Amino acid sequence: MADHFAEIKLAEQKSYNSIPFPWVLTPNSTTNLSFLTETIRTQKPFLESLLLKAGAVLLRGFDVKTANDFNDVVEAFGYEELPYVGGAAPRSHVVGRVFTANESSLDRNIPFHQEMALLPQFPSKLFFFCEVEPVSGGDTPLVLSHIVYERMKESYPEFVQQLEQDGLIYTRIYQEKDDLSSPTGRGWKSIFLTEDKSLAEERAANLGLKLEWMEDGGVKTVLGPIPAVTYDKIRQRKIWFNSIVMAYTCWKDTQNDPVKAVTFGNGSPYPEDIVYNLMKILEEECVAIPWQNGDVLLIDNLAVLHARRSSSRPRHILASLCK
């Protein structure tokens, strides 16, 4: 193990080909924040090698206490920031490159997904930070995307073949204002960071979205066909990369029907039973490590899907997105 880091094992971890998932590091000597950020700068190749192998790295036991501390850790890695344009999760800017994680009601689960997987511009890496750990629940489960692909291909080869052949079409109606009761309840003004419809249309076009304005001030968006399975060039393997589960479980309100929200690229609906069996596979393969104050979690967004377990308050998890 590189200088200043020690590997620890947790009961919740899994192992794939003798590689721990996620990789968990703790201080080998001092926990001082400035020492940590300097170590990140000097040991970045080592940390990236672990991320490449495992898909997720958890830093635990370091002196990271506040949003400002977390921002210092993110900046120490030196990755370029990705603006949150087009994403549907309600979140607020905190400081620097730090935002709140999804602000929807904590009594609701958020299903497995990759961040902004619907869009052509999605983050390659995600940082999460536990500012206040939940009293109970509130975990952020992780699952490897290539394992999900392999399980689905083994169980439903024809379904996966059609996914790879036809891709997906997503259809969603967004209101003007944010709805914090929904994990995907961001209004179009927040999604496109503007109240100007012309500018919203321009930014939507850059994301491949077609807009249709509604009489009540909302907007219908259509995206696709886009791939549901993609190829991880660095690791040289196919991965599950789509928002089928999110659409089926979260896109339901007075104007959105989950069955119509996501279809095959030819317009035909998905078999509902397969979607719910997919959810079972995600649960079987996932790892859920309870948050502790000060935890910093680095995720490769291609390699890993994440979710959120319901919890009671307080639970303060912050996030940062990187290109």
Side-chain angles (χ1 to χ4, degrees):
M1 193 58 53
D3 292 344
H4 315 310
F5 290 114
E7 180 185 357
I8 58 174
K9 301 293 185 181
L10 302 177
E12 298 87 356
Q13 282 173 291
K14 291 189 177 182
S15 178
Y16 295 92
N17 297 322
S18 300
I19 297 172
F21 176 66
W23 216 299
V24 185
L25 300 178
T26 196
N28 199 25
S29 52
T30 178
T31 64
N32 181 272
L33 176 64
S34 60
F35 186 79
L36 170 62
T37 55
E38 181 58 29
T39 301
I40 289 172
R41 293 184 185 99
T42 59
Q43 301 289 341
K44 183 179 175 181
F46 164 72
L47 293 169
E48 288 184 325
S49 72
L50 300 189
L51 187 66
L52 178 64
K53 295 175 184 177
V57 177
L58 175 63
L59 302 176
R60 170 164 287 182
F62 296 91
D63 192 23
V64 187
K65 297 179 179 178
T66 68
N68 282 300
D69 295 344
F70 176 46
N71 190 64
D72 289 346
V73 171
V74 173
E75 290 191 340
F77 277 89
Y79 300 127
E80 187 176 354
E81 183 178 10
L82 180 75
Y84 192 60
V85 178
R91 60 177 79 233
S92 303
H93 181 248
V94 179
V95 63
R97 299 176 54 169
V98 175
F99 289 75
T100 57
N102 194 310
E103 293 180 359
S104 63
S105 178
L106 291 176
D107 62 0
R108 294 189 58 176
N109 291 331
I110 297 177
F112 283 100
H113 62 286
Q114 287 106 335
E115 201 66 36
M116 302 167 70
L118 294 172
L119 303 174
Q121 300 171 21
F122 53 83
S124 66
K125 298 175 183 67
L126 317 173
F127 287 91
F128 290 107
F129 164 61
C130 180
E131 187 176 32
V132 178
E133 66 185 58
V135 175
S136 62
D139 305 339
T140 299
L142 309 175
V143 62
L144 289 164
S145 56
H146 75 285
I147 298 296
V148 179
Y149 171 78
E150 291 169 1
R151 289 281 309 270
M152 286 297 291
K153 187 175 181 180
E154 179 182 4
S155 299
Y156 305 104
E158 294 180 357
F159 175 79
V160 172
Q161 182 180 6
Q162 187 171 357
L163 277 182
E164 295 191 61
Q165 175 182 304
D166 295 337
L168 301 167
I169 294 177
Y170 296 94
T171 303
R172 177 77 191 271
I173 295 175
Y174 294 97
Q175 300 305 311
E176 286 187 89
K177 299 180 180 180
D178 295 349
D179 176 11
L180 295 184
S181 68
S182 169
T184 56
R186 209 174 182 209
W188 69 260
K189 291 181 179 180
S190 294
I191 287 176
F192 300 116
L193 303 180
T194 183
E195 296 186 1
D196 185 314
K197 289 185 177 181
S198 297
L199 185 53
E201 289 173 356
E202 179 182 331
R203 290 176 176 171
N206 290 336
L207 297 171
L209 287 166
K210 300 175 184 177
L211 301 188
E212 179 183 326
W213 297 102
M214 315 292 288
E215 292 184 359
D216 63 359
V219 63
K220 179 179 179 181
T221 67
V222 180
L223 177 66
I226 62 172
V229 172
T230 191
Y231 188 72
D232 185 339
K233 296 179 181 179
I234 296 177
R235 298 175 181 84
Q236 299 184 341
R237 61 196 185 197
K238 287 185 177 182
I239 61 170
W240 194 258
F241 196 77
N242 58 66
S243 296
I244 293 175
V245 171
M246 180 69 77
Y248 259 76
T249 58
C250 293
W251 294 11
K252 185 176 182 179
D253 54 36
T254 57
Q255 292 184 297
N256 289 282
D257 178 357
V259 176
K260 299 177 181 178
V262 56
T263 66
F264 285 112
N266 63 7
S268 61
Y270 290 120
E272 188 174 12
D273 62 320
I274 293 181
V275 176
Y276 284 100
N277 284 332
L278 163 61
M279 294 168 64
K280 292 179 182 179
I281 289 173
L282 289 163
E283 289 296 332
E284 290 170 2
E285 295 292 345
C286 79
V287 170
I289 296 175
W291 284 110
Q292 291 185 8
N293 290 335
D295 281 353
V296 175
L297 177 63
L298 173 56
I299 298 174
D300 185 305
N301 196 38
L302 278 176
V304 174
L305 298 89
H306 64 281
R308 186 191 75 183
R309 299 278 192 251
S310 63
S311 70
S312 58
R313 295 183 182 277
R315 177 192 187 268
H316 296 162
I317 305 298
L318 304 180
S320 186
L321 312 181
C322 303
K323 291 185 178 179

